[in-house]
Amino acid sequence: MATHRALVLSSFDKLLSLEIVSRPKAEAGQVVVRVLAISLVPYMQEILNGTLAYPLSLPMTPGLSAIGRVEQIGPDAVSLSPGQLVFCDVTVRGRDDPSVTMMIGIHGGGYPAAQKLMDGEWRNATFAEFAKFPLENVFALDEEALTKSKGYSVADLCWLSGCLVPYGGLREIGVIPGDVVIVAPATGRFGGAAVTVALAMGAKVIAAGRNKAALDALRTVFAPTGRIKTVALSGDAAKDTEELKSATGNHNGADAYIDFSPAAAASSSHIVAALSALRSFGKCALMGGIFGNISIPYGLVMFKSLRLQGRFMYEPSHITQLIQMVEADNLKLGAAAGIKNHGPFGLDKITEALKAAASFGSWGSQVIVQP
């Protein structure tokens, strides 16, 4: 029986354990990949220790979306083949009900139908040498174009996972070239990625936040586009609304707003300020980490016919589109996008990797694990 090394989470009050376990096998509708690299989210340690109460089925091998190389394909695969460089997405949907969604290795969905997927076939993820995925979750990458012509490393390609989340939100609210998009807060992992992606989609971006140094860094990296402005938020909703409106360059306001507020920002005034800076029929995508209630200007939303849209992750078609944007050079990765890679860390150094990821929570860095 073939084996491999994998990190196992058996309890929220215990550290991950590096163990020798059975190597997964690909059956019909499945692919096994050799995991090459993973970009850690800053809050991964909080998930693993239960601080963030994500539904998980223990014991299990945690993980995130990854760059891998196809090791084994199921008998019904028609385009993937062993040896291909691929992007592996952990967002799994029920094949007989795509509205049922969970994330292998990180979030069981929190309701019975989704939890069934994690309890059974999709319990173990990418903190391992090999990982099994649904066939439809594995996307071929043009290795020649990406790693040789463009010079991206495998670690650079991991930033696809950071960009996919905001791309899903921006597509959800119909952002098109020429739109003015407010991104707030813009200085975290996903907020900064939203700036990157919105610019790649042809929008003009107003990046807002309280970290002036991070805003300056964003402006410096993306100044060549000629389509980025930054607004340092003061905490005064009325003042910030005027600053945001002024940055749009027109009296009507912005076309769209994408929000990546962390849990601690539930009472922050920036949500009201950004909504107030939208034009009539403007659109907002809520994609942050707030689990409680927020305050919104009800009358303004009604009278300006604003659309507030929640969005969890992205559609499978968005992955193909984003990969095409990178291969066509519309969307930059790595140093060209202002991203510095830290590591890589092996599976035996996962504790150090998780600490590093927590310390590099702002835009501009990603911590890489290479099993």
Side-chain angles (χ1 to χ4, degrees), residues 10 28 72 113 118 133 145 162 168 210 231 280 288 297 302 330 347 365:
S10 58
Q72 182 188 23
M118 178 171 277
F133 283 89
R210 297 190 180 186
V231 172
S280 293
M302 180 185 66
N330 297 107
L347 294 178
S365 295

Side-chain angles (χ1 to χ4, degrees), residues 9 18 33 51 94 140 143 157 168 175 180 192 194 208 220 222 263 299 316 326 339 343 367:
L9 180 68
L18 184 57
V33 301
T51 301
E143 188 168 4
L157 295 176
V175 169
V180 179
T220 298
F222 297 112
V326 175
I339 303 300
V367 172

Side-chain angles (χ1 to χ4, degrees), residues 37-369:
I38 309 150
S39 175
L40 293 182
V41 292
Y43 48 87
M44 192 69 193
Q45 181 62 67
E46 296 178 81
I47 297 171
L48 299 178
N49 65 23
T51 301
L52 285 176
Y54 284 17
L56 297 175
S57 301
L58 305 183
M60 49 92 77
T61 293
L64 297 155
S65 294
I67 302 299
R69 198 171 291 282
V70 175
E71 180 73 12
Q72 182 188 23
I73 56 175
D76 56 341
V78 296
S79 63
L80 291 175
S81 59
Q84 277 186 295
L85 188 69
V86 290
F87 174 78
C88 309
D89 177 37
V90 295
T91 307
V92 171
R93 297 163 179 83
R95 285 171 170 163
D96 53 348
D97 184 357
S99 69
V100 175
T101 307
M102 54 78 73
M103 300 173 70
I104 313 173
I106 186 171
H107 199 298
Y111 52 98
Q115 201 68 39
K116 179 181 179 181
L117 295 173
M118 178 171 277
D119 288 343
E121 199 67 29
W122 307 113
R123 177 181 292 260
N124 298 315
T126 54
F127 284 5
E129 292 177 316
F130 295 89
K132 181 176 68 176
F133 283 89
L135 183 61
E136 62 269 24
N137 283 56
V138 178
F139 297 81
L141 299 173
D142 187 335
E143 188 168 4
E144 178 72 27
L146 294 172
T147 66
K148 297 178 181 178
S149 297
K150 303 185 191 307
Y152 290 137
S153 67
V154 169
D156 292 333
L157 295 176
C158 286
W159 192 236
L160 281 166
S161 62
C163 292
L164 267 168
V165 177
Y167 184 66
L170 293 166
R171 284 299 309 270
E172 184 72 33
I173 56 175
V175 169
I176 60 174
D179 275 354
V180 179
V181 179
I182 296 171
V183 179
T187 56
R189 174 184 175 90
F190 293 116
V195 172
T196 310
V197 174
L199 289 169
M201 294 171 70
K204 174 182 176 181
V205 174
I206 301 168
R210 297 190 180 186
N211 186 334
K212 190 175 184 304
L215 290 174
D216 289 344
L218 277 167
R219 186 171 60 244
T220 298
V221 169
F222 297 112
T225 67
R227 291 182 280 112
I228 184 170
K229 290 188 177 181
T230 60
V231 172
L233 298 173
S234 67
D236 181 320
K239 178 181 178 182
D240 291 338
T241 296
E242 290 307 312
E243 291 288 337
L244 291 168
K245 277 188 174 180
S246 176
T248 68
N250 66 72
H251 67 278
N252 292 319
D255 300 286
Y257 160 42
I258 187 166
D259 180 90
F260 282 99
S261 296
S267 60
S268 174
S269 63
H270 75 275
I271 297 175
V272 170
L275 289 173
S276 300
L278 291 175
R279 63 166 174 79
S280 293
F281 297 95
K283 301 156 290 185
C284 167
L286 300 175
M287 299 194 74
I290 297 174
F291 294 102
N293 298 327
I294 61 171
S295 176
I296 63 169
Y298 189 103
L300 178 137
V301 170
M302 180 185 66
F303 284 115
K304 294 183 76 173
S305 301
L306 301 182
R307 171 184 162 194
L308 275 63
Q309 171 75 53
R311 176 71 217 195
F312 178 67
M313 303 305 284
Y314 39 80
E315 294 299 313
S317 61
H318 295 161
I319 302 175
T320 301
Q321 293 163 10
L322 197 80
I323 290 171
Q324 290 173 340
M325 289 171 65
V326 175
E327 292 176 347
D329 229 17
N330 297 107
L331 176 65
K332 304 288 187 181
L333 302 176
I339 303 300
K340 181 179 180 181
N341 300 320
H342 297 273
F345 296 85
L347 294 178
D348 57 336
K349 299 294 183 183
I350 190 63
T351 300
E352 292 90 334
L354 293 169
K355 290 179 180 178
S359 68
F360 291 113
S362 297
W363 170 85
S365 295
Q366 63 173 347
V367 172
I368 302 298
V369 172

